[in-house]
Amino acid sequence: MLRSVFRCLGTNPVVGRRSMSQSSLAGKVAIVTASTDGIGLAAAQALGKRGAHVVVSSRRQANVDKAVALLQSHSIQVTGTTCNVGKAEDREKLLQTTLDQCGGVDILVSNAAVNPFFGNIMESTQDVWDKILSVNVTSAFLMTKLVVPHMVKRGGGNVVFVSSVAGYQPMQVSQSACIRIDARWRPALKDAASPSLQALSPYSVSKTALLGLTRALAPELAQDNIRVNCVAPGVIKTRFSSALWGNEDIVDEFKKQLSIKRIGEPEEVGGVIAFLCSEEASYITGETVTVTGGIGCRL
Ligand code: NAP
């Protein structure tokens, strides 16, 4: 009976069993930073559904509690703690909590990022650059440096950085599209003569740096059986990008670049992250997978 079911499905039981175990993350421990909302939470959910014990964190305890409750309601093994990735003591606490409660770490998804500035690159200040590069790039590296020795103890692991389509192509938003925009973007409108705005400039540069970090770390960590990959989402419906998808004019303009004519969902990125951490991706390292609905991404 079972054999005929598998025949109907065009598979056989042995192949089916193999692919299931390759996608499984049972017994693995995964730290996902900034994981109480959006893409981080979706990544935690995707990793947890594949059997990993996930460690979720963000700056606010209330958000951590909510995420833990949500993941537990999906029968996912989860530990929660607060962590602002920009603070060394918080990064160390995140690792220590993971080691104490889960006994080790196999996966790091470095997802946290900030963008305190919208506007032309020449109007950005050193404070803005320091903040963006420190949280988005330096903290991603320092978190990796903390966890790698513990991955080595387990015989290997996976690191996934979360970059952005903006890392390939700094986002430009026209003045006309900006007219009804969120107050956060208004300073960028100052220069009325400018036909377009590089609205996410220093942030874009930080996301380009993550593409480079992925390429640079992958060969170095391959000898320890650690794969290093990256995802570059397009516009995904989260709070972080609400200034974009909440504005119809920007969405219309943006859709012209898309093959799939809609904004992405966090789960569509979370699944790709879980895939990269699984045995199904065992021969992939140093790569960035773009999850953009078809925007051409090229440096
Ligand atoms: P989101 O839905 O707004 O979620 C942000 C999460 O980060 C929250 O859990 C927040 O919780 C936490 N967080 C913020 N600052 C933090 C910090 N310093 N340390 C630790 N946690 C922090 O954001 P998202 O859209 O999913 O963005 C996640 C990643 O995807 C970012 O790297 C972003 O650059 C990238 N990305 C997003 C898009 C998009 O369209 N959404 C596109 C490309 C790339 P607390 O407030 O409690 O800290």
Side-chain angles (χ1 to χ4, degrees):
M1 169 68 181
L2 261 182
R3 273 184 196 287
S4 56
V5 171
F6 282 118
R7 237 191 331 269
C8 284
L9 291 172
T11 64
N12 74 49
V14 175
V15 171
R17 210 168 43 234
R18 242 183 90 207
S19 63
M20 191 126 125
S21 71
Q22 284 185 326
S23 72
S24 170
L25 294 171
K28 303 290 183 195
V29 176
I31 294 177
V32 186
T33 65
S35 44
T36 61
D37 206 351
I39 292 168
L41 180 58
Q45 197 156 349
L47 292 160
K49 277 189 180 161
R50 289 178 181 227
H53 185 129
V54 292
V55 182
V56 294
S57 63
S58 74
R59 292 165 304 176
R60 296 181 181 87
Q61 185 67 52
N63 292 343
V64 173
D65 294 342
K66 229 165 87 185
V68 166
L70 177 86
L71 294 169
Q72 280 173 341
S73 75
H74 290 276
S75 306
I76 288 169
Q77 305 171 72
V78 56
T79 297
T81 183
T82 52
C83 172
N84 178 341
V85 296
K87 296 185 175 168
E89 64 273 24
D90 280 20
R91 293 191 298 267
E92 276 153 26
K93 185 186 75 170
L94 173 58
L95 173 65
Q96 201 52 53
T97 304
T98 306
L99 298 177
D100 292 345
Q101 300 201 17
C102 312
V105 57
D106 307 282
I107 292 166
L108 169 66
V109 180
S110 176
N111 170 64
V114 291
N115 183 27
F117 177 81
F118 297 84
N120 288 318
I121 199 158
M122 290 304 285
E123 287 167 21
S124 56
T125 61
Q126 181 171 354
D127 282 353
V128 161
W129 279 85
D130 287 348
K131 170 90 181 168
I132 290 178
L133 292 177
S134 146
V135 173
N136 299 7
V137 185
T138 311
S139 299
F141 165 66
L142 291 174
M143 195 67 224
T144 306
K145 194 173 160 79
L146 269 185
V147 300
V148 159
H150 299 278
M151 289 180 177
V152 172
K153 282 187 197 158
R154 310 262 279 193
N158 275 282
V159 176
V160 178
F161 295 113
V162 179
S163 175
S164 168
V165 62
Y168 291 90
Q169 181 58 54
M171 186 162 239
Q172 301 209 335
V173 180
S174 69
Q175 294 284 0
S176 58
C178 279
I179 298 305
R180 291 190 287 116
I181 207 163
D182 187 284
R184 283 182 292 164
W185 293 62
R186 292 214 183 100
L189 289 172
K190 240 177 22 198
D191 180 10
S194 166
S196 65
L197 304 164
Q198 295 218 346
L200 300 172
S201 301
Y203 167 85
S204 299
V205 175
S206 76
K207 292 299 185 177
T208 310
L210 291 178
L211 309 179
L213 182 60
T214 304
R215 297 296 295 177
L217 270 179
E220 201 172 306
L221 296 183
Q223 64 202 14
D224 294 318
N225 196 29
I226 296 169
R227 293 187 292 107
V228 184
N229 290 296
C230 183
V231 291
V235 177
I236 307 296
K237 201 166 191 174
T238 70
R239 198 161 47 90
F240 187 78
S241 58
S242 57
L244 298 179
W245 56 260
N247 180 305
E248 259 175 51
D249 294 335
I250 291 184
V251 171
D252 286 346
E253 198 170 282
F254 185 71
K255 273 187 187 163
K256 290 179 196 154
Q257 303 171 53
L258 298 173
S259 305
I260 300 170
K261 304 278 180 197
R262 62 173 175 80
I263 302 299
E265 297 294 334
E267 294 71 24
E268 294 177 293
V269 184
V272 175
I273 291 172
F275 160 74
L276 287 171
C277 295
S278 74
E279 273 305 292
E280 288 169 313
S282 56
Y283 202 47
I284 302 178
T285 196
E287 279 304 328
T288 297
V289 178
T290 59
V291 190
T292 64
I295 300 174
C297 290
R298 189 161 168 253
L299 278 182

